[in-house]
């Protein structure tokens, strides 16, 4: 803590730092906080890629290839840090429907291991979670999620994230772990795995495959650029009140068919050049975040509010980084095809 009450970490562990949002956060910290050293702990599952961290100077980051469920390793790393920022997870809803088991292990047991280490060493702990813990809203409901919304997760993925949030709350209340939680809406930007909606459709078009839309295409997601998420996490880590939850969102509600048509138009395709495919079982209808608490209390505000410009930059990134995704495209599509999606 400095004399303004702000937490000033010098060494932080970022779990899942080789994944989509974690790697963007690591780049953000390295670029904006020169006095902070980052240790990335990542198991490099199918979703992790060390390439996402290319260009980061060696003296700013240590990469540890390991599992958050490895109690001994987690204990050793936690003994020499000021904070743990926990991104690592199994993150994809469709995978959780096909095979829930890894979600239980990583999302629940992994969080437990990190909390035990944070408890033992008195380390500050920030937990990255999702708006999906609140379930879904109807399309015509004026309500948005707030920190007071009851938990009502729908999928194996979101139920394991909800369970992990509950562990954090319990470890804070019972053991005094210095923890905060953030629940964010759908992120987009560079380094997102091509199994996810926006990069799947962009890379389909780049490969001459027709994009795939689930169900009636009217499901709403609340999009935020991943850089805005990173800035929000930093402000919560350093200025957030211990024991509190903050919702992160950028007023980016859009339905899937509009997002897809926008991608098609930007990539020179006709608006109907896509396939309707089987809906996701239990598919959440709408997510919407009210981030008033974060904005009022901590002064955060999103910068990337022009979604069309953000989409253009994301399309450009996937077009310019084909080697990053081409090697996994066929297998990703084969998995979807087997599910009728
Ligand atoms: P991702 O799937 O792209 O990356 C996950 C990372 O975690 C990978 O690098 C993977 O190798 C690593 N990992 C998985 N299991 C591990 C284990 N047992 N030990 C160590 N590392 C492991 O995920 P993402 O989309 O970047 O999501 C990151 C976090 O943000 C997750 O906790 C997710 O629930 C949360 N979140 C995601 C979004 C979104 O829109 N993607 C929105 C809100 C919250
Ligand atoms: O809300 C935050 C969550 O956002 C995170 O917690 C998750 O980790 C992240 O994966 C994301 O979950 P979604 O299920 O909303 O994202 P996904 O990219 O899988 O799908 C977005 C929407 O697009 C959803 O309504 C399903 C639909 N979809 C998805 C794919 C892959 C399609 O219509 N076609 C597709 O091919």
């Amino acid at each position: 803590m400095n004399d303004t009450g702000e937490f000033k970490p010098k060494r932080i562990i970022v779990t899942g730092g080789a994944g989509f949002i974690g790697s963007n956060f690591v780049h953000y910290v390295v670029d904006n906080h020169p006095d902070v050293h980052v240790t990335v702990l990542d198991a490099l599952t199918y979703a992790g890629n060390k390439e996402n961290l290319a260009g980061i100077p060696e003296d700013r980051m240590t990469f540890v290839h390991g599992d958050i469920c490895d109690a001994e390793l987690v204990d050793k790393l936690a003994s020499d840090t000021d904070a743990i920022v926990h991104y690592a997870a199994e993150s994809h809803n469709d995978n959780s429907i096909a095979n829930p088991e890894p979600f239980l292990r990583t999302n629940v047991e992994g969080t437990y291991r990190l909390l035990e280490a944070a408890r033992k060493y008195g380390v500050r702990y920030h937990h990255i979670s999702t708006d999906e813990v609140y379930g879904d809203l109807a399309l015509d409901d004026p309500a948005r999620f707030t920190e007071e919304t009851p938990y009502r997760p729908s999928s194996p993925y979101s139920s394991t994230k909800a369970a992990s949030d509950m562990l954090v709350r319990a470890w804070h209340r019972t053991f005094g772990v210095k923890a905060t939680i953030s629940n964010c809406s759908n992120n987009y930007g560079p380094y997102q795995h091509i199994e996810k909606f926006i990069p799947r459709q962009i890379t389909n078009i780049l490969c001459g495959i027709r994009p795939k839309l689930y169900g009636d295409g009217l499901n709403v997601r609340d999009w935020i650029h991943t850089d805005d998420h990173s800035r929000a996490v930093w402000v919560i880590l350093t200025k957030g009140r211990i024991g509190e939850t903050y919702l992160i969102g950028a007023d980016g509600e859009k339905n899937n068919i509009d997002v897809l048509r926008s991608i098609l138009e930007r990539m020179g395709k006709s608006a109907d050049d896509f396939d309707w495919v089987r809906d996701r079982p239990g598919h959440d209808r709408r997510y919407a975040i009210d981030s008033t608490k974060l904005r009022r209390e901590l002064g955060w505000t999103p910068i990337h509010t022009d979604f069309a410009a953000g989409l253009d930059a994301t399309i450009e990134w996937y077009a310019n980084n084909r080697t990053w995704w081409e090697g996994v495209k066929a297998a990703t599509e084969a998995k979807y095809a087997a599910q009728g999606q």
Side-chain angles (χ1 to χ4, degrees):
M1 288 281 173
N2 67 7
D3 48 13
T4 62
E6 196 175 320
F7 174 54
K8 291 272 195 188
K10 289 275 178 251
R11 297 178 64 74
I12 65 173
I13 295 169
V14 177
T15 71
F20 163 46
I21 310 184
S23 65
N24 276 289
F25 179 73
V26 173
H27 282 286
Y28 163 80
V29 172
V30 168
D31 292 347
N32 294 282
H33 300 283
D35 50 340
V36 177
H37 181 273
V38 179
T39 296
V40 169
L41 172 59
D42 198 296
L44 296 179
T45 67
Y46 80 97
N49 188 344
K50 263 187 96 173
E51 280 300 301
N52 299 0
L53 301 166
I56 296 179
E58 272 180 27
D59 61 331
R60 300 296 313 283
M61 183 193 75
T62 304
F63 184 84
V64 179
H65 183 192
D67 194 319
I68 56 168
C69 298
D70 180 341
E72 208 177 306
L73 174 63
V74 166
D75 183 278
K76 181 168 156 262
L77 295 175
S79 68
D80 184 28
T81 194
D82 301 321
I84 297 170
V85 186
H86 177 32
Y87 285 90
E90 287 292 337
S91 69
H92 193 40
N93 276 299
D94 293 322
N95 293 344
S96 81
I97 295 164
N99 179 20
E101 193 162 340
F103 289 75
L104 272 295
R105 183 178 177 277
T106 286
N107 299 359
V108 183
E109 185 190 335
T111 298
Y112 160 68
R113 294 289 171 211
L114 294 164
L115 284 168
E116 281 294 84
R119 170 188 173 196
K120 180 168 170 188
Y121 296 104
V123 164
R124 176 83 168 79
Y125 175 93
H126 181 69
H127 187 70
I128 304 296
S129 193
T130 169
D131 58 359
E132 295 193 15
V133 299
Y134 300 114
D136 62 352
L137 299 159
L139 295 183
D140 60 357
D141 186 343
R144 299 192 290 171
F145 300 137
T146 73
E147 288 78 5
E148 312 308 323
T149 304
Y151 274 41
R152 199 172 57 88
S154 315
S155 73
Y157 161 69
S158 55
S159 61
T160 59
K161 291 298 291 187
S164 70
D165 292 11
M166 294 303 161
L167 293 181
V168 180
R169 290 177 184 206
W171 261 243
H172 165 66
R173 177 162 168 162
T174 305
F175 302 121
V177 170
K178 291 176 283 179
T180 41
I181 300 175
S182 55
N183 298 81
C184 188
S185 61
N186 284 63
N187 284 222
Y188 74 99
Y191 304 115
Q192 186 167 31
H193 195 281
I194 58 166
E195 67 189 354
K196 303 297 196 310
F197 179 56
I198 288 178
R200 183 182 184 204
Q201 314 315 337
I202 294 171
T203 55
N204 275 354
I205 295 168
L206 289 170
C207 291
I209 302 169
R210 282 161 70 85
K212 310 288 184 231
L213 192 64
Y214 294 178
D216 64 7
L218 296 179
N219 303 65
V220 169
R221 296 295 181 264
D222 190 351
W223 294 99
I224 181 172
H225 194 280
T226 192
D227 288 346
D228 283 330
H229 188 184
S230 293
R231 287 189 307 102
V233 168
W234 184 260
V235 92
I236 296 166
L237 175 70
T238 56
K239 296 184 188 156
R241 283 184 292 138
I242 301 298
E244 292 291 314
T245 290
Y246 296 88
L247 263 54
I248 306 173
D251 301 333
E253 277 189 72
K254 283 172 189 47
N255 70 33
N256 293 339
I257 194 164
D258 285 349
V259 172
L260 177 54
R261 290 205 157 122
S262 188
I263 293 170
L264 283 162
E265 184 195 330
R266 294 176 161 348
M267 297 184 74
K269 299 285 172 192
S270 98
D272 294 319
D273 210 355
F274 66 86
D275 294 332
W276 300 94
V277 295
R278 189 176 75 90
D279 205 358
R280 173 184 286 169
H283 196 175
D284 279 341
R285 201 56 168 156
R286 170 176 160 249
Y287 304 139
I289 290 261
D290 178 346
S291 58
T292 304
K293 177 177 174 183
L294 173 64
R295 293 173 194 236
R296 286 218 182 119
E297 226 179 76
L298 304 180
W300 172 87
T301 182
I303 292 171
H304 299 272
T305 47
D306 183 344
F307 184 68
L311 261 192
D312 282 338
T314 305
I315 292 167
E316 200 182 326
W317 190 88
Y318 284 91
N320 291 339
N321 290 278
R322 291 186 82 115
T323 52
W324 185 85
W325 56 266
E326 264 174 345
V328 298
K329 185 65 182 168
T332 305
E333 287 308 309
K335 196 153 90 176
Y336 275 125
Q339 293 168 184
Q341 294 176 318

